[in-house]
Amino acid sequence: MVQRLLPVAKVFSGRAAGRLGATELHVLNHPLVEHKLTVLRDKNTPSSIFRELVSELVMLEAYEATRNLSVVAAPIETPVAPMTGKKLAEPRPIIVPVLRAGLGMLDGMTRLMPTAEVGFLGMKRDEEHPTQQVTYANRLPEDLSGRQCFLIDPMLATGGTLVAATHYLAERGAKDVTAINIIAAPEGIKFVEEHIDPSIEFKVVVCAVDEKLNDKCYIVPGLGDAGDRLYGVID
């Protein structure tokens, strides 16, 4: 059964999709995703297994997220005959993990797209103003014009980080941005819908949309703090 998020949702090959203003939303619906996500959520799952599951889930998401990658013709010769295949176009796609939790998703993305470049963006939530972000690190090209950008961050909670990160890329010329999150909250999706720059070709791919945010802006039922579960608690 395909999960439907919105009245306008359309069904495409076993996944749910819909338009959220300028945003295209895809929710994966697959037995392997559901199984792995259940183990990921379990509080008794150790960090080593948690990291492995995150990587596996991201690879499944990346297959959907990269559906519209730009390609060019590539003449080659097989052992039997010449032919024209396809290769990823230049400039190469760029993967941007949002530190620190996004690093746990990087391995899964680079396994699927080993030729992609990787940038880094450090953002953290302002705890007094949850939809506002503080940028503390940046390792990105100054010009992202013509680049297909993939933002990776496990949780889409309030939506503030995702909007801020997307606009940060847009300030450098990015016009094609895909966000890959494992779990999203309805409040975060709504915030993205209302605040993302409509001039950006923007897509969100998630494994699941959960029930709500709690009073601490954590996703319920969620999976806890993804960064802590990946790397341990930092005091």
Side-chain angles (χ1 to χ4, degrees), residues 146-188:
R147 304 290 291 269
Q148 290 179 287
C149 302
F150 295 87
L151 273 172
I152 53 176
D153 195 4
M155 315 298 280
L156 199 178
T158 65
T161 297
L162 181 52
V163 170
T166 301
H167 290 171
Y168 198 91
L169 300 183
E171 290 171 2
R172 285 154 179 75
K175 291 295 184 183
D176 185 338
V177 179
T178 298
I180 301 177
N181 310 104
I182 294 175
I183 295 176
E187 296 92 333

Side-chain angles (χ1 to χ4, degrees), residues 131-143:
T131 60
Q132 297 181 22
Q133 311 302 314
V134 177
T135 302
Y136 63 87
N138 160 31
R139 186 65 175 174
L140 292 167
E142 286 299 317
D143 186 7

